[in-house]
Amino acid sequence: MCPADPASEFKEPYERFIHQHLQYYGYFKDENVPQSPSLPLESWKSSCPVSKPGNFHKKSRAENNSNKNSFCSLMMETALLKSNQLLFDHPEGPGIPRLREPRNLFSVPNDSLLAPLWPVECEVIKDYIHHIEWVPPEPEPFYQPTENEMAPEVVGEDRGTVVYVIDPATKGTCFTGSRVGGSKEPIKSAAVSLRDPEDTTLLFESRFESGNLQKAVRVGKYEYELTLRTDLYTSKYTQWYYFRVQNTRKDVTYRFTIVNLMKAKSLYSVGMKPLLYSEKDAESHGIGWRREGSNIKYYKYNTEDGQTLYCLTWTFRFPHSHDTCYFAHFYPYTYTDLQHYLMTLVNNPLCSQYCKLRPLCRSLAGNTVYLLTITNPSKSAIAAAAKKAIVLSARVHPGETNSSWVMRGFLDFILSDSPDARLLRDLFIFKVVPMLNPDGVIVGNYRCSLAGRDLNRNYRTVLKESFPCIWHTRAMIKRVLEDREVLLYCDFHGHSRKNNIFMYGCNNKYAQERLFHERIFPLMLSKNIPDKFSFNSCKFQVQKCKEGTGRVVMWRMGIVNSYTMESTFSGTTLGNNNNSHFTYEDLKSLGYHVCDTLLDFCDPDRSKFQQCLSELKELLKQKIQRKLSELGHVQNIDGTWSDISLSDVESSTSGSDSSQSDGPPAHLLNMDEKDFNEKKKKKKKKQLRTRKERNELHQKLTLSQTPKHKKDILKNNLIARLKERSA
C-alpha cells in the first residue's frame, strides 16, 4: 500500500497525476497546494508558487521511492484517467461525450501580436504603418482617356538624380533565414538629404510591411521615375506597388512614371486610377484612400539591352504641403492587419463559442499560417457528422489584396449574430485560411512566396519543406474529405486585366447526371449582385497549364464545386454605378453575398436551382448558335444538345502567366532538371479499347452514316472544329 500523499486531496485523477509529476521533479516541496475545482492547469498558473530551477530541493532516496510508488498507483487508474478527458454537452440529460480540447498547445495571440519574420537580407524600418478605413461618399469614376496623354521617354539615372535607392533585398539566389526586423545591420539612409527648408525634393520610403519600391530618380523639378522591386528570388512580377512620399508641395502638378512593369495589358489602359492616402487628411477630415490621377497612360518601351518593359505614368496634385502620403496599386492589407483582426476574434467571448483559431503551419520564414474552424455546436453526434464542409482561402498571391477584403467581409458576416449567419453555422463547418502566403505579403511580393515560386501552381507538390503553406492546406482538406463531403471550395484572388467579379470553375462534362451543376453557384451569385458580378466572364475549362492550381487539384480530389473567385483591381462596368472603382466596402459586401448565395444553393426548395439549370441549358444553345454562325453553318438546333460541353464554345481562362514560376523552388534550381521533372516526362501508355468499347464505337459509326443522324454529324463536326480553334 502506498503511503498517504498530499496529492490524494485532489478529487480528479488527472490533477493528482500532474501534481505528483511536478512534485517528483522538486516542485511544491512543503507547500500547501489549494484544490482547483474547474481548470486545474490554468488556476495553478496564478495561485501556486513554483520553485525556480535553481532552488530545487534535494530529496532523499526514500522520498523518491515513495513518490515513485504513488506515481505507480496513479498510473494504474487507467480507466479513470481516460474518462477524465471526456466532456458532456448536456449534463442534465444523457449527454454527448467528446474529448476535452488540448490546452495551451497552440500559439495564438491573445494580448500581443506575433512580430513578422523577414528574410535576413531585408532592411526594415521600425515605423508602424496604419491607415484608417474610409468609404468615399460618391462613386469614384474611371479615368476617361483622351488619346492625348503623354508617354514620357525613360531618362534613367544617367540623366537624372537618384533620390531613393535600397540595396537588392536578396544577396543570394534563395531564401536562407529570417528574423524579426530583418537585417541585423543598422538601417542605412536610402534617400537624399534635404539642403534647406526650400528644397522640394520628395523623400521616398518603402522598407515597411508590403512596401516594394526599389529606386526613385528625379528627372525634372516635379517628375520622378520609379523602379519597383521584383518578387524576392525571382527576376519578374512587378505589378503591385506601395510606397511612402514626404516633403510634398500643394498646388504643384507632379508626374510619376513606373518604368519596369512586365504585363502587356493592364486595367490602367481602360480607366483605372492609382490610390493616394494623405495622413493630414486622415487626421483632420477622416479621409482615407482615394483614387487620384490624370493623364494616365500605360505604354511599352524597349530597354537598351533589348528587353521589353511597360510604363505607367500619371500626374496628380498633393492635397497638402509638407504632408506624408502613400501610393498603392490597391487597398493594402498586411499580415499585421490580419493579426489585429484575428486578435479581436480571439478576445470576443461570443465568437469563441463557434470560431476556433489554430495555426495550420509555419511558413518558410516561420510566420504562422492561421486556420479558422467556424460552426455552431451540434445537438448530437449524428447532427455533427451530417454537416458538410465549406473551404475558403485567400492571399495565395500576396499582391492581390482585394482577396483579403473579400475574406474580411465573409468573416464579418459569418461570425455575426445574423439569423442567416446562425443558420449557415448550423448547416456547415467552415474551414478558412485567410492568408496562404504571409511571407510574400510581408516583403511586398506580387505573386510568389520566398521559394521564388507561384504557390498557386504547386498544389500537387510533395516538397513539404519548400511549400509548407500549400502542402498543409491540401493535407487539411484531405482530412476533411475523409470525414465529410466538401460542398464548396473557393480561393479568393484579384485580377489585373478584367473588370468586375467572376469565377473560374471546372467543367464536369463526363458526369451527365451533374451536367452544369458546377455553374449554378456562380450563376446564382451573379443574380444576387448583378451590378458587380459578371457570369459571362466566368470560365470552366481545365487547362493543362492550370493543373497545379488550387481549384483544379481540389476538383480532382472530388470537390465538384471548386472555384477561383476573381475580383478586379479596378471596378465595375455593370449596373447603375458602372465605370466606377470598387471600394474595400464593395469587396467586403461580396463576402456577405457569398454567404447569401450559399443559402440559395442549399435551399430545400429546389425551384431556384432548377431555374438556373434551365437557364444554363438555354445559354448553351445560344452559344452554339453564335459559333455555328461564325463557322458558316445553318442555325438549326432542334435536337438535344446537353452532351455538348460549354467549355467547347467558350474561351480559355485569362489568368496571369506564371510559367516561369512552375518549376522547383529557387534553392533547387541547380538540381538536374531531368531528375526533377522525371515523373512529368513519363508519358502514360494509351490503353487499348476493350471488345465492348470497340463494338459500341462501331455501332455509333454505323448509325452516323444514316440520313436520320444528319444532325449528329453536324454536331460532331462543330465539336471537332471548335476543338481545333481552341488548340
Side-chain angles (χ1 to χ4, degrees), residues 658-672:
S658 186
S659 59
Q660 293 190 21
S661 65
D662 295 350
H667 70 282
L668 296 180
L669 283 177
N670 293 329
M671 287 179 57
D672 187 352

Side-chain angles (χ1 to χ4, degrees), residues 71-102:
F71 176 81
C72 294
S73 67
L74 289 173
M75 291 299 292
M76 294 297 292
E77 303 175 19
T78 307
L80 291 176
L81 285 171
K82 287 184 177 179
S83 65
N84 188 64
Q85 303 304 308
L86 293 177
L87 297 178
F88 294 86
D89 292 329
H90 300 283
E92 65 277 7
I96 305 300
R98 60 183 175 86
L99 287 177
R100 185 191 300 273
E101 188 176 335

Side-chain angles (χ1 to χ4, degrees), residues 116 156 237 278 328 337 393 410 428 475 531 659 684 700:
Y237 304 116
S278 163
D337 292 333
S393 59
F410 166 79
F428 300 109
D531 59 334
S659 59
K684 293 184 179 179
K700 289 181 180 179

Side-chain angles (χ1 to χ4, degrees), residues 598-610:
L598 274 174
L599 290 175
D600 291 338
F601 189 68
C602 301
D603 193 338
D605 180 2
R606 307 302 284 168
S607 58
K608 290 182 180 179
F609 192 96
Q610 293 301 326

Side-chain angles (χ1 to χ4, degrees), residues 167-387:
D167 293 335
T170 54
K171 296 178 176 141
T173 58
C174 62
F175 171 76
T176 57
S178 62
R179 66 187 297 270
V180 174
S183 173
K184 296 181 180 180
E185 301 296 326
I187 299 296
K188 301 175 184 176
S189 175
V192 297
S193 300
L194 299 178
R195 297 187 301 272
D196 53 62
E198 301 302 319
D199 191 342
T200 60
T201 303
L202 292 179
L203 303 178
F204 293 82
E205 184 57 83
S206 69
R207 291 172 294 178
F208 47 79
E209 200 171 347
S210 295
N212 71 336
L213 180 66
Q214 178 73 42
K215 182 170 63 175
V217 179
R218 190 179 188 182
V219 296
K221 187 174 182 180
Y222 300 113
E223 296 185 21
Y224 294 84
E225 290 180 357
L226 310 177
T227 302
L228 305 181
R229 177 184 54 74
T230 62
D231 283 8
L232 297 192
Y233 315 111
T234 76
S235 60
K236 57 184 298 187
Y237 304 116
T238 50
Q239 189 73 25
W240 164 258
Y241 58 86
Y242 178 33
F243 57 89
R244 185 176 74 189
V245 179
Q246 293 175 312
N247 197 37
T248 64
R249 294 295 187 273
K250 185 181 177 182
D251 298 329
V252 171
T253 300
Y254 288 84
R255 177 181 290 277
F256 281 175
T257 304
I258 299 176
V259 299
N260 67 328
L261 298 171
M262 298 185 182
K263 284 191 176 182
K265 294 182 180 180
S266 172
L267 287 166
Y268 289 109
S269 299
V270 290
M272 179 174 163
K273 294 181 180 180
L275 278 165
L276 169 69
Y277 184 94
S278 163
E279 286 194 353
K280 285 190 175 182
D281 274 347
E283 294 171 2
S284 58
H285 305 295
I287 297 175
W289 289 100
R290 58 183 185 265
R291 300 283 179 171
E292 292 286 350
S294 300
N295 300 308
I296 301 172
K297 189 175 182 64
Y298 193 88
Y299 59 98
K300 179 176 72 172
Y301 90 100
N302 296 317
T303 63
E304 294 180 356
D305 57 1
Q307 184 182 8
T308 299
L309 294 175
Y310 297 86
C311 296
L312 168 64
T313 186
W314 74 98
T315 61
F316 61 94
R317 293 193 172 197
F318 288 110
H320 304 282
S321 294
H322 304 288
D323 192 6
T324 296
C325 294
Y326 296 83
F327 286 91
H329 184 56
F330 201 74
Y331 301 97
Y333 195 95
T334 66
Y335 183 61
T336 300
D337 292 333
L338 173 67
Q339 291 200 105
H340 274 294
Y341 181 74
L342 295 179
M343 187 185 299
T344 62
L345 302 183
V346 170
N347 295 326
N348 187 325
L350 183 63
C351 288
S352 62
Q353 297 178 21
Y354 42 79
C355 175
K356 299 298 181 183
L357 178 64
R358 299 289 183 270
L360 175 67
C361 64
R362 297 283 184 178
S363 67
L364 202 60
N367 294 295
T368 302
V369 180
Y370 294 101
L371 171 67
L372 293 91
T373 302
I374 303 169
T375 190
N376 281 342
S378 301
K379 296 181 179 180
S380 66
I382 296 176
K387 286 186 176 182

Side-chain angles (χ1 to χ4, degrees), residues 601-620:
F601 189 68
C602 301
D603 193 338
D605 180 2
R606 307 302 284 168
S607 58
K608 290 182 180 179
F609 192 96
Q610 293 301 326
Q611 179 186 352
C612 289
L613 200 57
S614 299
E615 287 187 27
L616 287 167
K617 292 179 181 178
E618 183 62 29
L619 177 63
L620 171 63

Side-chain angles (χ1 to χ4, degrees), residues 534-554:
S534 171
F535 183 75
N536 289 332
S537 297
C538 296
K539 307 296 178 186
F540 299 89
Q541 285 192 350
V542 179
Q543 299 168 275
K544 186 176 180 180
C545 63
K546 303 295 177 67
E547 287 286 342
T549 61
R551 70 175 169 94
V552 176
V553 171
M554 301 312 160

